[in-house]
Amino acid sequence: MISRRSMLAGGLALPALAGCGGQPTTQPTAYSPGQTRPGLDAVIDISHNVTVTSFAAVRRSNILAVIHKVTEGGDWFDPSYTSRRRQAEAAGLLWGGYHFGTRQYSGEQQAASFLSACQPGPQTVMALDLEPNDANPRNTMRLDQAEAFVLAVQKATGRLPMLYSHPAWADGEIYGRRRISLGASIRPGSLLARCDLWLADYRETPRLPNAWATRGWKLWQYVADETSQNFAFGSEPRHVEGVGHCDRNMYNGDVASLNRWWKNGGRG
């Protein structure tokens, strides 16, 4: 994902998360062209930092759905969200919105800001981005704030948002040189664990957080392209017509399943 403060994309720095014994995890390796991945490669996520020239071209690139940043914290609103939603839906794309969680506002306040800007309809998939705030680690969302956010969204819409996270972060492991963490792991059976998982992991075989060990992921962000310069880096073709760069996501199912799940607002 992309924070307005840091151009951080979806946990790009997260391979530095400490694994067992406090050692850094292995650097992710790029997929080779033609390598098979599980699921359907048909979902992208973007923010105002991404140039969009044509959502019709995005759709022609076999992309079925777009998830756009809506809000960050309790006081910042993505200026591109509303106009791009109209354009994307007119092009036949499924639409979703995500919130980048921070610490300086309560979970309830952040949910209110998100919902006021997202204006979720019955077919809008919603998500909470729960990850380290690299630009300002002290402003990283706490576990209790994430739970409050999810509960507020559920009460307002009758639906749980997806939870976007890296497996090491969700499991409460230590992150980076500043050694920050969620403070505890997300527990199996908890409110957060009831959310569908949007997994961020750029290794060939993604690791599941413990709380989703039996459920698996709904979306898997297998590559993040936070700048147009990085977009061309590596051996894997990532280009999507109509956008300057984007994060790519697998859906855990087929086209029919994706359409059913999305048009039900991310339920079922």
Side-chain angles (χ1 to χ4, degrees), residues 50-132:
V50 174
T51 299
V52 178
T53 56
S54 170
F55 279 114
V58 171
R59 180 63 189 87
R60 289 194 299 270
S61 296
N62 294 318
I63 298 301
L64 300 178
V66 177
I67 306 177
H68 201 287
K69 185 170 184 176
V70 184
T71 42
E72 181 173 335
D75 61 356
W76 186 84
F77 302 85
D78 192 301
S80 300
Y81 175 82
T82 300
S83 61
R84 287 180 173 176
R85 178 180 185 170
R86 291 193 297 267
Q87 297 164 16
E89 291 180 336
L93 288 157
L94 302 169
W95 187 255
Y98 75 87
H99 172 78
F100 186 95
T102 65
R103 184 177 297 231
Q104 83 271 33
Y105 293 92
S106 71
E108 294 88 349
Q109 288 174 307
Q110 293 185 62
S113 294
F114 168 73
L115 292 168
S116 71
C118 185
Q119 293 293 302
Q123 297 182 0
T124 307
V125 164
M126 300 171 288
L128 170 62
D129 179 357
L130 181 63
E131 63 175 292

Side-chain angles (χ1 to χ4, degrees), residues 4-211:
R4 79 183 191 273
R5 300 180 178 91
S6 66
M7 295 290 289
L8 174 67
L12 184 68
L14 281 169
L17 275 158
C20 296
Q23 297 301 313
T25 58
T26 304
Q27 284 284 349
T29 56
Y31 284 92
S32 299
Q35 194 165 355
T36 301
R37 306 180 204 91
L40 180 68
D41 192 358
V43 182
I44 64 172
D45 64 270
I46 59 175
S47 78
H48 72 290
N49 289 308
V50 174
T51 299
V52 178
T53 56
S54 170
F55 279 114
V58 171
R59 180 63 189 87
R60 289 194 299 270
S61 296
N62 294 318
I63 298 301
L64 300 178
V66 177
I67 306 177
H68 201 287
K69 185 170 184 176
V70 184
T71 42
E72 181 173 335
D75 61 356
W76 186 84
F77 302 85
D78 192 301
S80 300
Y81 175 82
T82 300
S83 61
R84 287 180 173 176
R85 178 180 185 170
R86 291 193 297 267
Q87 297 164 16
E89 291 180 336
L93 288 157
L94 302 169
W95 187 255
Y98 75 87
H99 172 78
F100 186 95
T102 65
R103 184 177 297 231
Q104 83 271 33
Y105 293 92
S106 71
E108 294 88 349
Q109 288 174 307
Q110 293 185 62
S113 294
F114 168 73
L115 292 168
S116 71
C118 185
Q119 293 293 302
Q123 297 182 0
T124 307
V125 164
M126 300 171 288
L128 170 62
D129 179 357
L130 181 63
E131 63 175 292
N133 190 332
D134 254 14
N136 185 2
R138 293 182 181 179
N139 200 25
T140 295
M141 179 177 253
R142 300 189 310 266
L143 195 59
D144 64 301
Q145 289 176 304
E147 291 171 343
F149 178 97
V150 166
L151 182 59
V153 170
Q154 182 187 39
K155 287 181 176 178
T157 67
R159 316 195 305 265
L160 289 168
M162 282 192 296
L163 187 74
Y164 171 96
S165 196
H166 185 278
W169 189 251
D171 284 342
E173 296 176 17
I174 301 297
Y175 164 70
R177 290 176 297 176
R178 302 195 190 188
R179 300 188 63 78
I180 61 173
S181 77
L182 267 178
S185 63
I186 297 174
R187 293 175 291 105
S190 66
L191 177 63
L192 293 181
R194 289 171 51 203
C195 299
D196 283 331
L197 175 63
W198 184 0
L199 180 65
D201 194 345
Y202 312 137
R203 292 168 289 194
E204 292 187 13
T205 302
R207 163 187 155 191
L208 280 170
N210 293 330

Side-chain angles (χ1 to χ4, degrees), residues 197-253:
L197 175 63
W198 184 0
L199 180 65
D201 194 345
Y202 312 137
R203 292 168 289 194
E204 292 187 13
T205 302
R207 163 187 155 191
L208 280 170
N210 293 330
W212 287 270
T214 59
R215 287 186 59 194
W217 47 268
K218 181 64 70 173
L219 291 180
W220 167 28
Q221 188 185 79
Y222 68 89
V223 68
D225 289 301
E226 82 282 14
T227 69
S228 56
Q229 289 76 25
N230 285 353
F231 190 57
F233 181 76
S235 60
E236 182 178 6
R238 305 173 184 176
H239 185 62
V240 175
E241 294 291 337
V243 292
H245 56 94
C246 60
D247 301 338
R248 300 291 299 265
N249 303 273
M250 306 296 295
Y251 170 76
N252 195 3

